[in-house]
Structure formats: structure tokens, C-alpha cells
Amino acid sequence: MPVTKPFDPFRSKLLVYRAVNESPEDEAFVHSIQRDAEAQSGSSYGLLRPESMKASNEFKEHIAEKCLLGAIICLPPINDGEVAGEPVGIICLKSNPPRHAHHRWTDVSIDIAKKYRREVYEDEAIRRGLWYSFQMAGLHRVQLGVFSFNEGALKLYEKLGFKEEGRQREMMWFNGGWHDLVLYGMLEHEWREIQMKSRKEA
């Protein structure tokens, strides 16, 4: 077994993951994510409508208090003494009720601010979410659903090693047509095999 010593689990190569704070800045940032109708159209089942501040604050409370891991994804701090730099997104690992905890699985969701969406941050944040799930939280399975018209997300999750496990056919009505929900999952041993292969290729 490798030697273990204390470390900060909330830093990855390019990003920092910090708590959601009760501050005007975090309230404004979460609202900016939630009111991005283009992004929500690719991930939300709800009938799209303009996002109110009340609804955004309810989502902010959910991230802060009801996720197994709910964090603001940030760039590294510029100045000494700061915890994190500019926020770029939000990540949530779903927390299941106690009576389901023994199944050891979670749903992962991620939102990246529009100005950073074509960067590498979504890739790295999902990788960190997988690492946290299997290495820190002791989970066995991570899953998510992707709308069949969201081709960028489909390519990303397949590149990261998620397996397509099925489809809920024509379960979503959007823009005048029916679309599938594509179900993806990754098991702990699959994640560990990916890590071992990456180390060998490095």
C-alpha cells in the first residue's frame, strides 16, 4: 500500500474547489450559471423559463447543504492568503438518503460558466469528481444522464471512460422534437484501470 500523508483534496492540476458561501458574490455567480438558458437547455428537464433570483438561491442552498460534494470550481488564487481565485463553475455529487447509502453510488452534475466552456476545466473537474467519489468517499459507482442532442457532452463522457448503459427513448420534448436520455456509468474498478493505464503511459 502506498504511503499516505496529509494533503489538500480540493485542488487539482488547474483548479480549486471551495465551499459555497453566503455572500453577494456567490449569489451572483450561481445566478449567472442558472440564468444561462442555453446551458440549461442541454441539462435541465424542466420547461425552460427565465431564472429568478429566488430559484437560483434555492439551487445554491442545495449545492451548499444537500450534496455529498457541492463546490464552486475556481481558478487558483492569485494572491497569497486567498483560498481560491475566479469562479468558473459548479460541481455536485448527489447525496442519497441514509436508507440508500449502502448502494454507494452518486449522480454527478457540473456547470461551467460560458466564458470558460471551451476550456479544459469541465474535463478536469469531472475527473476530480470521479477521484473524490472513489478515492475519498468510498463509492462504487458514478452515473449521469445526457440528452442525446448534447453531442459535446456525449463525446466528453465517453472520452473520460464512462460506459453507455442504456437509453430512455424519446423521454424529453425539446425544440419541437423528442430526444433520448443516454445513461452513463463508471464503476470503481473501471476508474482504477483507467488510472493505472494513464500512469503506465505517462
Side-chain angles (χ1 to χ4, degrees):
M1 180 178 293
V3 175
T4 297
K5 57 184 179 180
F7 69 102
D8 182 354
F10 303 116
R11 285 177 176 264
S12 58
K13 184 177 180 181
L14 299 174
L15 299 169
V16 176
Y17 309 83
R18 66 162 175 81
V20 181
N21 296 318
E22 288 293 334
S23 69
E25 292 78 13
D26 276 8
E27 184 176 283
F29 178 71
V30 172
H31 186 55
S32 73
I33 293 284
Q34 290 299 100
R35 74 183 180 194
D36 184 343
E38 180 182 348
Q40 294 302 318
S41 74
S43 61
S44 174
Y45 297 104
L47 182 64
L48 290 177
R49 58 184 184 179
E51 180 80 3
S52 68
M53 186 62 76
K54 180 177 182 293
S56 290
N57 285 338
E58 289 172 355
F59 176 71
K60 176 175 170 287
E61 181 179 346
H62 172 82
I63 295 296
E65 299 180 5
K66 297 181 180 179
C67 292
L68 179 66
L69 172 68
I72 302 289
I73 306 164
C74 300
L75 299 178
I78 297 174
N79 301 315
D80 292 340
E82 294 181 342
V83 173
E86 182 178 355
V88 301
I90 299 168
I91 187 168
C92 175
L93 302 176
K94 178 182 177 181
S95 180
N96 287 310
R99 67 184 184 279
H100 294 165
H102 61 291
H103 299 308
R104 293 168 55 199
W105 62 266
T106 187
D107 282 286
V108 61
S109 65
I110 186 169
D111 294 288
I112 299 294
K114 189 170 186 177
K115 67 181 287 189
Y116 295 109
R117 206 164 291 151
R118 296 188 183 278
E119 305 287 347
V120 298
Y121 302 129
E122 185 171 7
D123 181 306
E124 178 162 337
I126 289 291
R127 291 179 190 276
R128 198 58 173 184
L130 289 167
W131 174 86
Y132 187 90
S133 297
F134 297 127
Q135 198 73 356
M136 300 299 290
L139 300 182
H140 177 66
R141 169 185 172 83
V142 177
Q143 64 187 37
L144 51 86
V146 183
F147 301 149
S148 57
F149 61 82
N150 193 343
E151 295 181 0
L154 295 173
K155 290 177 182 177
L156 172 63
Y157 294 125
E158 289 175 4
K159 182 185 79 169
L160 292 176
F162 282 88
K163 308 290 187 184
E164 182 178 333
E165 299 179 330
R167 286 176 178 251
Q168 292 180 298
R169 296 175 302 150
E170 297 187 3
M171 65 83 61
M172 181 187 182
W173 175 262
F174 177 69
N175 195 27
W178 292 105
H179 305 276
D180 298 349
L181 178 67
V182 186
L183 307 174
Y184 284 99
M186 186 182 296
L187 303 179
E188 179 188 2
H189 76 85
E190 294 170 338
W191 178 79
R192 294 196 183 280
E193 287 169 3
I194 292 170
Q195 304 314 300
M196 187 176 297
K197 182 179 179 181
S198 296
R199 285 194 292 270
K200 287 181 180 179
E201 293 175 351

